[in-house]
Amino acid sequence: YLLHVSSSVLHSVADDAYTRTKREQENLVKQSGIPHCILRPTLMFGWFDPKHFGWLSRFMEHTPVFPIPGDGEYLRQPLYNRDFCRVLLACLESRREGLAYDIVGKEDVDYVSIIKAIKEAKALQTVILHIPFDFFDTLLKLAAKIMRRPPFTSAQLHALAAGDYFVGVDIEQEFGVTPTPFLQAITETFTHPVYSKIVVKRWSHLMNNEKKKIAVLGGGPMGLAAAWHLLKQGHQVSLFEAGDRLGGMSASFDFDGLPIERFFHFLWF
């Protein structure tokens, strides 16, 4: 059974590489023959976010002025990731098959209101400055020529202003999940004494930085694959396995010339 997380951009007016790859992914899932359900969330936010709201909040902490393109009244339908996780669990428990659901944040909030809500939640003194849209776009294009990985691009700016509006299912009625009010979710995200300070590093970020000493716990298929990829990138890897051999659940032993899977995968009658 496969629960595929796609994206609401399938319904976007934009036609870019990101949107096209999401459509292609869904087609692969549908053609696979595997029982599946597809979920298409809108823009998500919450703890541990290395980009989106998380990046915006960290940028706001370190700059006296926060630039807003144009009037900033670009409609967003942000989805709290804790609500989405509850939807995921409901789908797995009910094992819905052959269905696709658009999961949309319940409240319509424009971009500048999101920025103000983050600023208020974190009690920041950052000045919010509106910059003409075309000038903002020109600055982003110049930044893209100077920076290898700019945090925000001209294409993303135009996607922000595209005017998308998504219609989703009622997650309370369909999955029994009561949506968290937006301002409450923002407060939980950015004021928790522990989790609000944790940022998950993306794999690409790890790969593009200095070489590291990395410990991989578990010598099963996933641990071995992770260690292999890290070694290929030049990192120093230590693999820790509690058992007396590698392979985890995929390991086997010789039974009179016949390779037999270990653990509960094999029954002898």
Side-chain angles (χ1 to χ4, degrees):
Y1 179 71
L2 175 63
L3 183 55
H4 177 63
V5 178
S6 181
S7 172
S8 58
V9 298
L10 264 78
H11 307 303
S12 174
V13 298
D15 182 24
D16 53 23
Y18 182 76
T19 302
R20 290 191 293 272
T21 56
K22 290 298 180 183
R23 291 196 183 102
E24 291 169 4
Q25 289 169 8
E26 283 203 15
N27 287 333
L28 288 173
V29 170
K30 293 174 182 176
Q31 295 166 10
S32 69
I34 301 172
H36 66 272
C37 180
I38 297 173
L39 300 178
R40 303 180 185 127
T42 50
L43 172 69
M44 286 193 285
F45 69 98
W47 292 334
F48 319 130
D49 189 2
K51 54 180 185 176
H52 299 147
F53 288 17
W55 186 91
L56 293 172
S57 72
R58 291 187 294 278
F59 178 72
M60 203 181 304
E61 285 180 348
H62 296 97
T63 181
V65 177
F66 190 97
I68 296 287
D71 59 15
E73 296 179 358
Y74 313 116
L75 184 63
R76 303 285 89 186
Q77 296 164 282
L79 176 64
Y80 191 26
N81 62 8
R82 293 183 72 185
D83 293 343
F84 185 64
C85 286
R86 294 180 178 117
V87 171
L88 287 173
L89 288 173
C91 275
L92 289 170
E93 289 170 352
S94 59
R95 197 181 170 90
R96 300 166 188 237
E97 295 185 13
L99 299 171
Y101 296 97
D102 295 298
I103 311 298
V104 176
K106 186 173 183 180
E107 297 177 54
D108 298 341
V109 189
D110 61 34
Y111 177 72
V112 69
S113 296
I114 292 170
I115 300 303
K116 290 178 179 178
I118 295 174
K119 174 184 174 180
E120 183 175 346
K122 301 188 74 166
L124 300 175
Q125 301 301 314
T126 310
V127 175
I128 294 177
L129 178 66
H130 292 264
I131 297 177
F133 186 93
D134 290 341
F135 182 56
F136 198 101
D137 190 27
T138 300
L139 292 176
L140 292 178
K141 291 175 180 176
L142 289 173
K145 295 181 179 297
I146 300 170
M147 303 172 67
R148 182 183 176 189
R149 298 176 65 85
F152 195 56
T153 66
S154 174
Q156 289 172 318
L157 174 63
H158 285 276
L160 173 68
D164 287 328
Y165 188 80
F166 305 110
V167 178
V169 298
D170 184 328
I171 62 173
E172 188 164 15
Q173 179 179 344
E174 190 70 40
F175 302 105
V177 176
T178 302
T180 306
F182 174 71
L183 291 179
Q184 177 185 330
I186 286 288
T187 300
E188 290 178 2
T189 297
F190 295 108
T191 64
H192 191 280
V194 177
Y195 299 139
S196 64
K197 298 178 176 62
I198 299 175
V199 180
V200 176
K201 288 187 177 180
R202 304 179 71 184
W203 179 269
S204 59
H205 174 80
L206 180 64
M207 294 299 98
N208 291 328
N209 281 273
E210 71 277 3
K211 305 309 178 186
K212 302 176 184 294
K213 292 182 178 180
I214 300 175
V216 176
L217 303 182
M222 290 297 292
L224 292 172
W228 180 65
H229 281 288
L230 290 167
L231 285 168
K232 286 205 309 180
Q233 296 294 330
H235 298 287
Q236 183 177 332
V237 181
S238 297
L239 179 67
F240 295 88
E241 167 58 46
D244 60 355
R245 69 193 70 183
L246 298 174
M249 292 293 186
S250 65
S252 63
F253 63 93
D254 182 78
F255 184 77
D256 195 23
L258 179 67
I260 302 297
E261 289 185 81
R262 300 177 67 204
F263 305 111
F264 53 81
H265 292 147
F266 181 79
L267 297 176
W268 184 268
F269 293 97

